[in-house]
C-alpha cells in the first residue's frame, strides 16, 4: 500500500470510500484491511489535510513534504477564525496545551475534547466552545493532532483525534523548511503526473505561481519542457520520465481500468485535462465544481463513467460512445469485480 501511495503522491481521501476503491483497482486481491492496518494500526500511512486543504493518505516519504508545503494557508484559516471571536493569545495557548495533554492519554472525539477542556478551563461559555473547536483544527493542521477513524466499517466514520507524534512517529511532519517542502512538492508533482503545466501544479497543490516557477527553476537540470499538439502551453516532465516515455510510446498493449471518484490519477491535472477525455464528454467526466466522477479508462483516456447504487447494491455504468463487444465484455468483468469488493465487504 505504501508503494502505491508513493506512486500516486498520496491517496485522495476526501470521501471515505475513495482511497479503498483507488487501491482495489490497482492491487490484486485487495481487501480493506490492507489499507486499514497501515493507516490506523501500524502508522505506516497517515491521513492529513494538505493539497487544496483536502484529505490525503500519505507515506513517511511524502507526508512531511505535503504537510509543510501547504501549512501556512491552512493555519491562516484558523487565525482568521480566532480573530472573529477575539480571544487573547494567552488563553488560546492554554486551550491548546489542555487539548494536547488530553489526547496524549487517549484519542478522543471532538465532543469529548470540548467537554473535558471546558471542565479544566472552568468555563462553559460559547466563546470558549468556539475557541476549543478552532484549537482542535489548528492542532490538527499543525501536526500535533492526528485523525483516527474508529468505525468498524471502512465506508463509515467515527472520528477521533490522537497525539500525532505518539501514534505516528514514522511521520516527522515538521522536519522540513516550508521553502524546501514546496520545492519538493512541485518536483514530485511533475515527476508523478507530467506532462503538466504550471496551472496544473497550482490547481493540484494550492501553491502560488511564483513559488511554482521558483521550484521549476531550482530543478531545471532534472526537467524538460514538452510541447503537445493542439496546445500552445508549456508542459513539464522529469528527464527520466521523458526518456522512459520515448522508449515505450510505440507499444500497443491495451489496458482498461476503473477509476475511483476523485481518483488521484486525475487530480493532478486541470489545464491539461483535454489529454485524458475528449472535450465533448468533459462535463460527463467532471462535475460543476471540477470533481472527477468515477470513470472507465482505456489506454489513458476516459471512455465512460460508473456509479454505486447503495440501495440496490449494484453498479451502474455508461459509455461515452459505442464500443466493441470485446471491450464491453472486459468492462463488465471489471464492474463485477468492483461490485464484489464493494458489497461483499459491506
Amino acid at each position: 500500500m505504501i508503494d502505491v501511495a508513493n506512486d500516486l503522491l498520496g491517496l485522495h481521501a476526501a470521501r471515505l470510500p475513495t482511497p479503498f476503491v483507488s487501491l482495489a483497482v490497482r492491487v490484486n486481491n485487495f481487501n480493506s484491511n490492507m489499507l486499514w492496518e497501515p493507516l490506523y494500526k501500524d502508522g505506516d500511512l497517515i491521513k492529513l489535510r494538505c493539497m487544496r486543504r483536502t484529505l490525503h493518505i500519505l507515506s513517511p516519504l511524502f507526508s512531511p513534504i505535503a504537510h509543510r508545503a501547504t501549512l501556512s494557508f491552512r493555519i491562516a484559516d484558523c487565525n482568521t477564525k480566532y480573530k472573529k471571536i477575539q480571544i487573547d493569545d494567552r488563553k488560546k495557548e492554554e486551550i491548546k496545551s489542555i487539548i494536547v495533554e488530553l489526547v496524549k492519554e487517549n484519542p478522543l472525539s471532538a465532543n469529548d475534547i470540548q467537554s473535558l477542556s471546558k471542565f479544566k478551563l472552568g468555563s462553559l461559555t460559547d466563546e470558549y466552545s468556539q475557541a476549543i473547536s478552532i484549537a482542535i483544527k489548528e492542532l490538527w493542521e499543525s501536526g500535533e493532532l492526528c485523525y483516527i477513524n474508529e468505525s468498524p466499517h471502512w465506508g463509515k466514520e467515527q472520528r477521533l483525534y490522537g497525539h500525532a507524534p505518539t501514534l505516528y512517529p514514522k511521520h516527522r511532519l515538521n522536519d522540513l523548511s516550508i521553502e524546501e517542502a514546496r520545492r519538493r512538492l512541485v518536483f514530485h508533482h511533475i515527476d508523478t503526473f507530467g506532462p503538466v503545466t504550471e496551472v496544473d501544479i497550482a490547481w493540484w497543490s494550492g501553491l502560488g505561481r511564483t513559488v511554482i516557477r521558483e521550484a521549476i527553476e531550482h530543478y531545471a537540470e532534472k526537467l524538460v519542457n514538452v510541447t503537445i499538439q493542439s496546445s500552445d502551453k508549456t508542459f513539464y516532465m522529469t528527464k527520466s520520465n521523458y526518456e522512459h516515455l520515448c522508449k515505450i510510446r510505440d507499444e500497443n498493449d491495451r489496458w482498461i481500468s476503473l477509476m475511483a471518484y476523485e481518483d488521484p490519477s486525475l487530480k493532478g491535472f486541470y489545464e491539461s485535462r483535454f489529454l485524458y477525455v475528449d472535450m465533448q464528454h468533459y462535463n460527463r467526466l467532471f462535475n460543476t465544481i471540477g470533481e472527477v466522477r468515477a470513470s472507465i479508462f482505456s489506454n489513458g483516456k476516459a471512455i465512460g463513467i460508473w456509479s454505486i447504487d447503495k440501495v440496490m447494491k449494484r453498479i451502474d455504468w455508461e459509455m461515452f460512445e459505442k464500443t466493441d463487444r470485446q471491450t464491453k465484455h472486459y468492462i463488465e468483468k471489471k464492474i463485477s469485480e468492483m461490485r464484489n469488493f464493494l458489497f461483499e465487504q459491506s
Side-chain angles (χ1 to χ4, degrees):
M1 300 311 104
I2 294 175
D3 289 343
V4 178
N6 286 340
D7 288 344
L8 295 169
L9 200 48
L11 298 168
H12 198 269
R15 294 191 174 200
L16 291 173
T18 293
F20 293 92
V21 176
S22 295
L23 288 171
V25 302
R26 292 174 170 88
V27 178
N28 291 332
N29 302 314
F30 176 79
N31 65 70
S32 58
N33 285 334
M34 293 169 68
L35 176 57
W36 199 267
E37 291 183 2
L39 181 57
Y40 296 124
K41 291 185 179 180
D42 303 330
D44 294 323
L45 297 169
I46 190 171
K47 184 179 280 192
L48 301 172
R49 281 196 352 131
C50 44
M51 286 76 73
R52 298 184 320 284
R53 301 174 175 84
T54 302
L55 284 169
H56 286 73
I57 294 171
L58 300 130
S59 75
L61 178 64
F62 288 123
S63 59
I65 297 171
H67 170 71
R68 291 291 287 174
T70 62
L71 178 62
S72 59
F73 53 78
R74 290 184 287 114
I75 291 295
D77 293 342
C78 301
N79 292 335
T80 299
K81 292 180 179 181
Y82 278 129
K83 288 179 182 178
K84 289 181 179 179
I85 61 173
Q86 298 180 333
I87 191 166
D88 65 76
D89 290 341
R90 183 190 61 81
K91 184 58 65 174
K92 180 172 67 175
E93 292 305 314
E94 180 185 0
I95 290 170
K96 289 195 292 184
S97 178
I98 288 172
I99 293 171
V100 170
E101 290 306 310
L102 286 171
V103 299
K104 278 184 178 179
E105 296 180 11
N106 287 297
L108 297 168
S109 68
N111 287 338
D112 286 341
I113 292 173
Q114 278 278 355
S115 299
L116 292 169
S117 297
K118 287 177 181 177
F119 176 78
K120 287 182 174 290
L121 289 164
S123 175
L124 300 176
T125 65
D126 288 341
E127 180 186 59
Y128 277 179
S129 294
Q130 293 178 61
I132 292 166
S133 294
I134 299 167
I136 292 171
K137 178 177 171 58
E138 181 189 359
L139 289 166
W140 183 23
E141 300 289 14
S142 67
E144 279 291 315
L145 300 190
C146 58
Y147 167 106
I148 303 167
N149 189 356
E150 285 285 291
S151 170
H153 187 275
W154 57 272
K156 298 178 182 178
E157 183 179 50
Q158 184 180 332
R159 181 180 295 196
L160 302 182
Y161 294 97
H163 185 237
T166 300
L167 299 176
Y168 290 93
K170 300 172 187 176
H171 297 261
R172 302 177 64 86
L173 296 178
N174 291 301
D175 276 6
L176 291 174
S177 70
I178 287 178
E179 181 183 35
E180 178 63 20
R182 287 176 171 174
R183 284 176 175 173
R184 292 192 192 183
L185 189 67
V186 171
F187 176 80
H188 285 299
H189 180 275
I190 296 171
D191 190 42
T192 300
F193 296 104
V196 290
T197 67
E198 288 183 9
V199 173
D200 290 330
I201 302 168
W203 155 263
W204 177 83
S205 66
L207 300 177
R209 298 285 287 277
T210 299
V211 170
I212 291 167
R213 287 169 185 162
E214 288 173 351
I216 289 171
E217 183 178 349
H218 179 79
Y219 287 107
E221 292 184 357
K222 296 183 177 181
L223 303 178
V224 60
N225 292 2
V226 179
T227 57
I228 293 177
Q229 290 182 351
S230 75
S231 176
D232 60 355
K233 307 297 182 183
T234 299
F235 291 79
Y236 298 95
M237 294 184 72
T238 56
K239 288 182 178 178
S240 59
N241 280 346
Y242 177 75
E243 291 167 358
H244 177 68
L245 181 64
C246 290
K247 292 178 181 177
I248 67 170
R249 63 184 178 183
D250 293 328
E251 295 181 5
N252 294 315
D253 290 343
R254 187 176 187 186
W255 60 268
I256 294 174
S257 179
L258 303 186
M259 296 288 187
Y261 194 99
E262 291 282 79
D263 193 273
S265 287
L266 288 170
K267 291 304 294 180
F269 310 101
Y270 185 77
E271 190 173 42
S272 58
R273 286 175 174 176
F274 70 93
L275 295 172
Y276 306 98
V277 61
D278 291 334
M279 293 312 293
Q280 65 263 36
H281 306 307
Y282 183 93
N283 290 333
R284 297 173 73 182
L285 181 62
F286 296 97
N287 67 18
T288 55
I289 60 172
E291 294 177 333
V292 58
R293 295 182 173 94
S295 55
I296 303 167
F297 259 64
S298 175
N299 283 30
K301 205 148 190 173
I303 61 171
I305 55 176
W306 62 278
S307 61
I308 304 167
D309 187 329
K310 294 181 180 179
V311 176
M312 301 302 295
K313 291 194 172 183
R314 72 184 185 201
I315 293 178
D316 298 320
W317 59 284
E318 60 179 288
M319 304 300 294
F320 294 155
E321 297 176 358
K322 289 183 179 180
T323 189
D324 59 84
R325 184 177 299 178
Q326 183 179 5
T327 299
K328 183 179 179 182
H329 175 75
Y330 195 74
I331 293 170
E332 288 173 343
K333 179 182 177 184
K334 292 285 186 179
I335 293 290
S336 178
E337 291 171 355
M338 181 57 67
R339 185 188 301 112
N340 291 339
F341 168 73
L342 290 170
F343 298 123
E344 285 183 4
Q345 299 190 63
S346 297

